[in-house]
Structures are given as structure tokens and as C-alpha cells.
Amino acid sequence: MPSYPPTFVDQVVAQPARAQFEAFLDEHRGALNGCLDGLTEEQVRRSLVASRTTLLGLVKHATFVEKVWFNEAVTCRSRAEIGIPATSGESFILDDDDTIATVQHAHREACEASRHATSSLGLDDILHGHRRGPLPLRWVYLHVLRELAQHCGHADILREQLINE
């Protein structure tokens, strides 16, 4: 019998669209955060591609994504006020004090803050704080899901390379 992801269970399929979006987001958030599990600090920092992309950098970037779309866009605070890099590319840069534990913890905290920030919003509510201009929460959910899915794919490939060395 095949093992289906949690979003396939009948309880999710029967839920309203908002609950389905949140279930898919949480599934991808968990998968990306978990890509670091069982690896060494050296492995998660290892660069296996020409860009700055590393497993640890992907999870750190995902924290940035959460804060851009569910803090900046919702609260209308600037990236400087939030304490995140000005550009997406900078969010992959690892500091000496970035570890598996600290990056995973920061990511989990950002995800929880995102859930809290959107808990009183409807899918058609407009978020005014992003540089692109006003956007409905539904679009933001879809965009973040697309980005998380892409990075989960990157993480799968990088992790496979590390494990098969």
C-alpha cells in the first residue's frame, strides 16, 4: 500500500479551501525544515552547486520567505524593521553562528508567527505591505506554496547528493 502525504487524508480533502492551503503549506514547511535532520553541520553547509544554495541556506531562506510574505506583507513593516535582509539572495548567506538547531528553530518560529499573523484573515483579504502592491491572501498562500515546493525539490536533490557521497 503506497504512503500518501498527510494532505491526501479525507479530513483534509473535505475541508474548506483555507484549511487545505494551510495543510499544504505546513506539509512543505515541515519537509523543508526536516531536510536537515540526520546530517552533520559540515554537510548542511556544503556547497554542491554553483550558487549559494546549501541545505542550511535553503531553510534560512525559507525563514526569510515566511517573514516577507506573512510579516512584511501583513504588518506593512519594512524588512529593516523586521530584521531580515533587503534582498532574497542575501537570505541564503550563512553566518558563523548559524547551526542546524538555530536555523530550524528560527524557521519553526517564523512559521508559527505566520500562522498567527494570518489567523484572523480571509483568503480574499488584501495584504498591503509587500513591494508588489496589494495582494489577496489567497495569492500569497499560492505563491509561498510554489516557492516552498520548489525549495523542497532543491533540498531533496542536495540531500541525496550528500547521502550518496
Side-chain angles (χ1 to χ4, degrees), residues 29-140:
R29 287 166 170 155
L32 193 55
N33 192 289
C35 78
L36 305 176
D37 293 344
L39 298 175
T40 67
E41 296 291 340
E42 186 277 326
Q43 285 175 310
V44 299
R45 287 176 164 274
R46 192 174 309 156
S47 179
L48 301 169
V49 293
S51 69
R52 290 182 177 152
T53 306
T54 64
L55 282 175
L56 194 62
L58 279 171
V59 179
K60 187 172 181 178
H61 170 71
T63 302
F64 168 84
V65 169
E66 293 285 337
K67 291 180 179 187
V68 165
W69 290 106
F70 300 118
N71 191 330
E72 178 184 27
V74 173
T75 67
C76 300
R77 295 182 333 153
S78 72
R79 291 179 185 189
E81 290 174 288
I82 296 166
I84 59 175
T87 67
S88 175
E90 293 171 282
S91 68
F92 285 91
I93 298 172
L94 299 174
D95 300 322
D96 290 341
D97 58 345
D98 287 329
T99 66
I100 294 169
T102 63
V103 170
Q104 282 184 318
H105 179 75
H107 181 248
R108 284 191 299 269
E109 281 188 337
C111 293
E112 184 56 37
S114 296
R115 288 184 208 96
H116 179 73
T118 59
S119 64
S120 65
L121 301 175
L123 290 177
D124 295 321
D125 285 350
I126 303 298
L127 308 182
H128 295 277
H130 193 267
R131 298 170 183 188
R132 289 186 175 188
L135 296 164
L137 180 61
R138 177 185 318 272
W139 186 93
V140 170

Side-chain angles (χ1 to χ4, degrees), residues 16-26 123 138 141-142 145:
R18 166 85 183 239
Q20 290 179 1
F21 280 132
E22 290 172 354
F24 274 80
L25 283 167
D26 282 342
L123 290 177
R138 177 185 318 272
Y141 274 2
L142 288 168
L145 182 58

